[in-house]
Amino acid sequence: TLFELKQIYSGRWDVNERTKERIPSLPEDYLVSKEAEEILQMVDKTPARLFMLTGDAGTGKTTDARMIAQILGLPYYVFTCGPGTDELELLATTVPNMGGIAHLEMELPRLEDIEMDPASALATVNGIYEEGISREKAFREILKAVYEKGYEKSKNEKDFLLKESEIVKACREPSVIEIQEPAMIEKPGTLTRLNSLFDDGAVTDLVNGEQIRRNPDTIVIMTTNLDYVGCQNFNQSVLSRMNLIQPKEALTEEEMAKRAMKRTGFKNKELLSFMTATVCKIHEYLIEQDITDGVCGYRELENWVLSYMVSNDLRRSAWTALLSKASMDREEQGTMERFLIVMWIKNGWRKRMKKALYRKRICAEKEKLTPEKVFHTPQYRDLLTSIGHEITGGKLTTLRLYDDKNSG
């Protein structure tokens, strides 16, 4: 578990107080994957610090990266790549210069000044005294003058500032930096900009002229899908620098069910087993039919479970959390829904769900009943009279009912 491995690996590095809040806080009874354990062993026993995890969405790549950071007691940084990510963005991003906007150094008239003497009020702003100007026109001219002076001043200010990226921040201290979806970058050569950070002791020049070396205990973990729409091949020089490239195996049905139960608190093991099997079957169908415009995996299972827990409607929650993501094609969605219904009927879940619904309604009605509604009714008296006659062979002459105040 995460807790057990923390006892082995944590506490080896001094962490800056200001970045301690970046240390993840996952539940400590989480089971740690074999891939994460391999990385921990490599970090512990070798100078290896560069790793790549590959696999489908929902296989736990990001969870592994966060677990590793938490177990080692290191701050966790994340940088997400996209098709347009370029070399500059890997090291710095541009942000609006909100803090650099200077105040206008000009005297502004008060509203009372405009009311009393609009010409003098305008003159304090633009230096021109216009005899007989109306209050409304003076007010408009004052606004115009303020705008023009502000615009001229803003042209001399920097509109944007360069802010160092999460990758650079992570490289300044012992930490874990997860670089998400690098395979999405359209130009495979873009990542080579980081090669000098990946090499031990090498120096990278930042845009501001500063030179930076990666801290020897900065752990880089790339997490990516390799065969999704938009994924590109990696430059060989980047691949060569990775100490380990670990394909994440798809979770088994049993592992998916256990994880979903742990994360959602869902207690119905039998229904969860059916939902897990359905997700796996649809996943297989997507592969067999070469459907690439959707996804169906662990995340969809978890969302389906959560949606069902809220709605108590298995079919509706399947549509919104599962089928709508498995494909964007309505015909394919319909085919998969029929597939789901066949499994539902085949496994007897239709009857089970009806029985469960009836039981729920009966329990709800029972909760509404009070002793007065049951025992203080003519129907109850008639029932006891009938039973008494049957037991006594028709010799019962008197029936008395007593209220037990102690039991209610």
Side-chain angles (χ1 to χ4, degrees):
T1 64
L2 195 153
F3 174 79
E4 292 168 337
L5 290 176
K6 273 184 68 175
Q7 310 310 306
I8 301 172
Y9 295 109
S10 68
R12 302 191 181 192
W13 294 280
D14 292 328
V15 178
N16 194 311
E17 285 294 329
R18 64 182 174 78
T19 57
K20 276 188 176 180
E21 62 183 20
R22 284 181 171 266
I23 299 174
S25 56
L26 297 168
E28 296 202 333
D29 58 351
Y30 268 19
L31 295 176
V32 179
S33 71
K34 63 180 181 180
E35 292 85 5
E37 283 199 65
E38 287 175 357
I39 291 176
L40 289 166
Q41 291 167 2
M42 290 287 286
V43 170
D44 181 47
K45 298 178 180 178
T46 74
R49 297 293 185 268
L50 307 175
F51 307 96
M52 183 184 293
L53 293 168
T54 67
D56 291 344
T59 52
K61 301 183 294 295
T62 291
T63 300
D64 279 357
R66 297 182 66 202
M67 280 185 176
I68 290 167
Q70 185 169 336
I71 289 169
L72 296 174
L74 294 176
Y76 164 77
Y77 294 83
V78 61
F79 180 90
T80 303
C81 303
T85 300
D86 56 24
E87 294 182 5
L88 173 62
E89 194 175 349
L90 293 173
L91 301 178
T93 54
T94 55
V95 295
N97 184 17
M98 302 302 293
I101 298 176
H103 295 289
L104 287 176
E105 296 177 359
M106 61 186 300
E107 183 182 353
L108 296 176
R110 298 174 302 171
L111 185 60
E112 292 84 348
D113 298 331
I114 300 174
E115 289 280 347
M116 295 292 295
D117 188 354
S120 298
L122 177 59
T124 61
V125 176
N126 64 8
I128 302 173
Y129 186 86
E130 295 187 30
E131 185 72 37
I133 190 172
S134 67
R135 288 175 295 183
E136 290 79 8
K137 185 177 180 181
F139 185 68
R140 287 196 300 270
E141 291 297 321
I142 290 170
L143 289 179
K144 181 181 177 182
V146 170
Y147 171 79
E148 288 176 349
K149 286 191 177 183
Y151 176 74
E152 287 298 321
K153 192 168 187 63
S154 68
K155 288 199 300 184
N156 298 321
E157 300 288 338
K158 292 182 179 179
D159 295 326
F160 293 93
L161 295 175
L162 282 175
K163 181 181 178 183
E164 63 184 27
S165 72
E166 296 293 281
I167 296 174
V168 173
K169 290 179 185 177
C171 287
R172 295 187 182 279
E173 62 178 330
S175 64
V176 172
I177 170 68
E178 180 190 0
I179 303 178
Q180 295 181 339
E181 309 302 344
M184 288 295 295
I185 300 176
E186 286 185 348
K187 297 179 180 179
T190 300
L191 276 177
T192 60
R193 182 68 178 85
L194 298 178
N195 282 352
S196 54
L197 278 178
F198 293 160
D199 292 338
D200 293 333
V203 174
T204 292
D205 294 319
L206 301 182
V207 180
N208 61 2
E210 180 187 358
Q211 292 185 325
I212 182 175
R213 285 184 175 88
R214 176 175 58 86
N215 186 292
D217 288 316
T218 297
I219 300 163
V220 179
I221 302 177
M222 293 190 182
T223 59
T224 191
N225 309 299
L226 295 178
D227 54 0
Y228 281 12
V229 173
C231 289
Q232 310 293 327
N233 292 325
F234 282 94
N235 182 279
Q236 288 86 342
S237 66
V238 176
L239 294 176
S240 177
R241 285 170 167 79
M242 295 295 106
N243 297 123
L244 292 180
I245 297 179
Q246 300 164 292
K248 288 281 292 181
E249 297 179 5
L251 298 174
T252 64
E253 285 189 26
E254 183 180 1
E255 289 170 337
M256 289 174 70
K258 283 184 178 178
R259 181 181 290 187
M261 185 172 291
K262 186 82 174 176
R263 288 173 60 88
T264 65
F266 191 56
K267 303 299 184 184
N268 191 330
K269 292 183 179 180
E270 195 175 8
L271 179 55
L272 182 56
S273 177
F274 166 75
M275 297 168 82
T276 306
T278 303
V279 168
C280 292
K281 289 291 184 184
I282 292 178
H283 178 73
E284 291 172 7
Y285 176 79
L286 297 182
I287 296 174
E288 291 170 0
Q289 301 298 317
D290 195 26
I291 298 173
T292 59
D293 64 340
V295 64
C296 183
Y298 172 75
R299 287 199 186 110
E300 287 62 52
L301 170 64
E302 185 174 311
N303 290 330
W304 188 12
V305 172
L306 291 171
S307 178
Y308 173 72
M309 291 172 68
V310 172
S311 68
N312 205 35
D313 187 333
L314 193 65
R315 184 175 181 179
R316 173 63 183 168
S317 58
W319 255 110
T320 56
L322 182 67
L323 301 178
S324 60
K325 295 171 67 177
S327 174
M328 297 295 105
D329 187 297
R330 291 290 294 179
E331 289 186 9
E332 289 292 357
Q333 290 175 356
T335 300
M336 286 183 277
E337 183 190 28
R338 290 190 290 274
F339 184 69
L340 169 64
I341 292 172
V342 169
M343 288 190 65
W344 193 12
I345 296 173
K346 184 178 178 181
N347 287 272
W349 275 105
R350 191 172 185 177
K351 292 181 179 178
R352 296 181 200 180
M353 295 300 291
K354 281 187 176 181
K355 288 181 179 178
L357 181 60
Y358 292 151
R359 283 195 294 269
K360 187 174 181 179
R361 288 178 178 173
I362 290 171
C363 289
E365 290 299 322
K366 283 183 177 179
E367 290 178 359
K368 297 177 183 178
L369 294 176
T370 62
E372 289 76 14
K373 291 182 179 180
V374 176
F375 303 116
H376 294 190
T377 61
Q379 291 84 353
Y380 184 69
R381 177 179 290 274
D382 292 342
L383 174 64
L384 286 183
T385 302
S386 175
I387 294 173
H389 279 298
E390 186 175 338
I391 293 174
T392 62
K395 297 179 180 178
L396 179 69
T397 58
T398 305
L399 175 67
R400 292 190 177 92
L401 299 180
Y402 295 92
D403 242 344
D404 186 348
K405 301 299 182 183
N406 295 326
S407 67

